[in-house]
Amino acid sequence: MAECDWDTVTVLRKKGPSSAQAKSKQAVAAAQRRGEEVETTKKWAAGQNKQHTVTKNTAKLDLETEELQHQKVTLEVAKVIQKGRQDKGMTQKDLATKINEKPQVIADYESGKAIPNNQIMGKIERVIGKT
């Protein structure tokens, strides 16, 4: 085997400051005292909440008076569902189980708070037999 001459080299380096430490006021002041070049830039709208400025679209939306709401189940339909369920001697939970929905869905339909869904309405109609 040939002899290899391996030299051991040890390199010692001191780690520089992290980016957060380099940006601190103390680090900037120390660098300026040492005469090092320090670059400073002013950020536009730094520290201000500029995302909520008033634009003409915002003003237009504020002046809008039309009330937009989802169509709800009418009280007539709610009463028909409730009467049909009671005529069959079912509770809201029984009806919900038969149509594979949560009891809260039936409660919402019977109170007129639900947004009509044709699939659910069709299931209810098949179970209670009303149109």
Side-chain angles (χ1 to χ4, degrees):
M1 238 171 123
E3 274 195 43
C4 295
D5 186 24
W6 295 93
D7 292 328
T8 304
V9 178
T10 305
V11 178
L12 297 174
R13 281 191 223 159
K14 187 175 179 183
K15 284 177 88 176
S18 69
S19 64
Q21 292 170 340
K23 292 178 186 175
S24 71
K25 288 182 181 181
Q26 293 88 2
V28 171
Q32 286 174 339
R33 279 193 299 272
R34 288 191 300 264
E36 296 176 8
E37 189 173 320
V38 177
E39 180 183 347
T40 57
T41 56
K42 173 126 173 85
K43 292 186 178 182
W44 182 81
Q48 297 177 6
N49 195 359
K50 290 288 185 181
Q51 65 187 5
H52 297 295
T53 58
V54 177
T55 62
K56 66 178 181 179
N57 288 339
T58 308
K60 192 184 294 186
L61 285 173
D62 287 341
L63 294 174
E64 185 66 42
T65 57
E66 185 179 355
E67 300 257 344
L68 302 175
Q69 294 179 347
H70 288 288
Q71 180 183 358
K72 305 280 187 193
V73 174
T74 63
L75 277 168
E76 295 169 354
V77 173
K79 294 296 179 193
V80 167
I81 292 171
Q82 189 174 21
K83 184 162 177 13
R85 175 182 59 80
Q86 289 171 343
D87 289 347
K88 294 267 185 174
M90 297 167 49
T91 63
Q92 289 181 345
K93 185 175 182 179
D94 294 336
L95 179 57
T97 304
K98 286 194 179 214
I99 66 168
N100 294 325
E101 292 292 338
K102 294 180 182 177
Q104 185 62 43
V105 172
I106 302 302
D108 287 345
Y109 271 86
E110 288 185 1
S111 65
K113 295 179 184 175
I115 298 170
N117 182 333
N118 287 337
Q119 287 182 323
I120 296 174
M121 296 288 279
K123 291 179 192 178
I124 293 172
E125 187 178 330
R126 280 192 294 272
V127 172
I128 65 174
K130 299 278 181 176
T131 55

